[in-house]
């Protein structure tokens, strides 16, 4: 078994892989079918951002069909093939719950694809407008510290670095969340990423 000793790698694996995967598996079991639909508020948000909802639907349908449709059909066939009309009622209820879980799971996947298909221009614009300048400015501050032989602040460096990993993980989780995504949520997430990038870059192993 491989042991990961680097703290950044550990936190990165948790926030960017383990937690999204856990949510991917657990959320469909605890929400209703209606909660897995695309919220009307998000459709209105796309229109407010100047996106053509019909084109978003077409892009999402195309990606989902190409990447996930075969897996969805196979998993449904696998889950329902053993269900018999002669099953006792308890088994039928279990089978119904399993089918509900399956449908919720793939509805969640489709909604995540739909969100990414519609919001990627906004993600990219916010990253270029806010996060990249913050990173560049942080590197400039770091260069100044090196020039005058200032010591880096390990507390800021480690704290901001771990915060950055956490915020990036939350950003990865956004398409999977069973909640409506709004502009304040996007602005807040990108702002947190920009702040963590700046503090991390400004304190990245400067001085002795």
């Amino acid at each position: 078994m491989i042991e990961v000793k680097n703290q950044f790698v550990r936190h990165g694996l948790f926030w960017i892989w383990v937690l999204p995967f856990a949510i991917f598996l657990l959320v469909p079991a605890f929400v209703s079918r209606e909660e897995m639909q695309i919220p009307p508020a998000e459709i209105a948000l796309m229109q407010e951002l100047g996106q053509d909802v019909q084109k978003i639907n077409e892009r999402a349908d195309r990606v989902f069909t190409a990447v996930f449709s075969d897996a969805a059909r196979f998993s449904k066939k696998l889950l329902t093939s053993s269900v018999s009309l002669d099953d006792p009622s308890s088994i039928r209820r279990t089978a119904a719950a399993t089918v509900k879980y399956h449908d919720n799971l793939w509805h969640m996947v489709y909604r995540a694809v739909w969100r990414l298909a519609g919001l990627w221009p906004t993600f990219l614009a916010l990253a270029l407008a806010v996060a990249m300048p913050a990173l560049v400015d942080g590197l400039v501050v770091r260069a100044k510290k090196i020039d005058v032989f200032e010591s880096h602040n390990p507390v800021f460096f480690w704290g901001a670095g771990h915060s950055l990993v956490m915020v990036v993980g939350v950003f990865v989780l956004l398409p999977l969340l069973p909640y409506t995504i709004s502009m304040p949520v996007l602005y807040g997430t990108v702002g947190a990423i920009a702040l963590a990038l700046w503090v991390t870059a400004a304190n990245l192993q400067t001085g002795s």
Side-chain angles (χ1 to χ4, degrees):
M1 185 174 180
I2 299 174
E3 181 182 1
V4 179
K5 295 183 178 180
N6 187 290
Q7 289 293 325
F8 281 121
V9 175
R10 283 169 141 184
H11 287 204
L13 288 174
F14 176 76
W15 283 102
I16 301 175
W17 173 245
V18 176
L19 191 58
F21 188 69
I23 287 181
F24 177 75
L25 292 178
L26 293 176
V27 167
F30 298 101
V31 298
S32 65
R33 185 76 53 81
E34 291 72 21
E35 291 177 278
M36 282 299 179
Q37 304 300 318
I38 298 170
E42 289 189 15
I43 296 175
L45 173 64
M46 297 299 180
Q47 294 172 334
E48 182 181 343
L49 292 172
Q51 295 289 320
D52 187 331
V53 175
Q54 182 60 36
K55 290 184 179 179
I56 295 174
N57 294 338
E58 292 173 358
R59 285 198 296 267
D61 291 346
R62 187 163 56 249
V63 171
F64 187 87
T65 300
V67 179
F68 300 108
S69 61
D70 289 340
R73 283 194 295 268
F74 175 78
S75 61
K76 186 168 186 177
K77 182 179 179 180
L78 187 66
L79 289 172
T80 59
S81 60
S82 60
V83 178
S84 169
L85 295 176
D86 298 327
D87 286 337
S89 59
S90 61
I91 298 180
R92 287 202 302 271
R93 286 195 297 270
T94 302
T98 302
V99 172
K100 175 197 170 187
Y101 174 86
H102 172 272
D103 291 345
N104 279 350
L105 180 70
W106 290 107
H107 274 90
M108 182 175 68
V109 171
Y110 179 82
R111 185 178 59 188
V113 171
W114 189 90
R115 285 169 167 173
L116 291 174
L119 289 176
W120 74 264
T122 303
F123 288 161
L124 181 60
L126 289 174
L128 292 176
V130 180
M132 286 303 298
L135 174 61
V136 172
D137 189 69
L139 292 174
V140 171
V141 172
R142 175 183 181 273
K144 290 180 180 178
K145 288 182 179 181
I146 294 175
D147 190 54
V148 297
F149 302 102
E150 288 186 14
S151 298
H152 71 283
N153 188 321
V155 176
F156 280 176
F157 171 68
W158 286 99
H162 284 73
S163 299
L164 177 61
V165 171
M166 182 181 69
V167 172
V168 170
V170 172
F171 198 68
V172 172
L173 286 174
L174 281 177
L176 295 173
L177 293 179
Y179 306 108
T180 300
I181 296 178
S182 62
M183 283 306 297
V185 171
L186 295 179
Y187 286 146
T189 305
V190 173
I193 290 176
L195 179 61
L197 272 174
W198 185 89
V199 178
T200 303
N203 292 278
L204 179 59
Q205 300 298 322
T206 58
S208 59

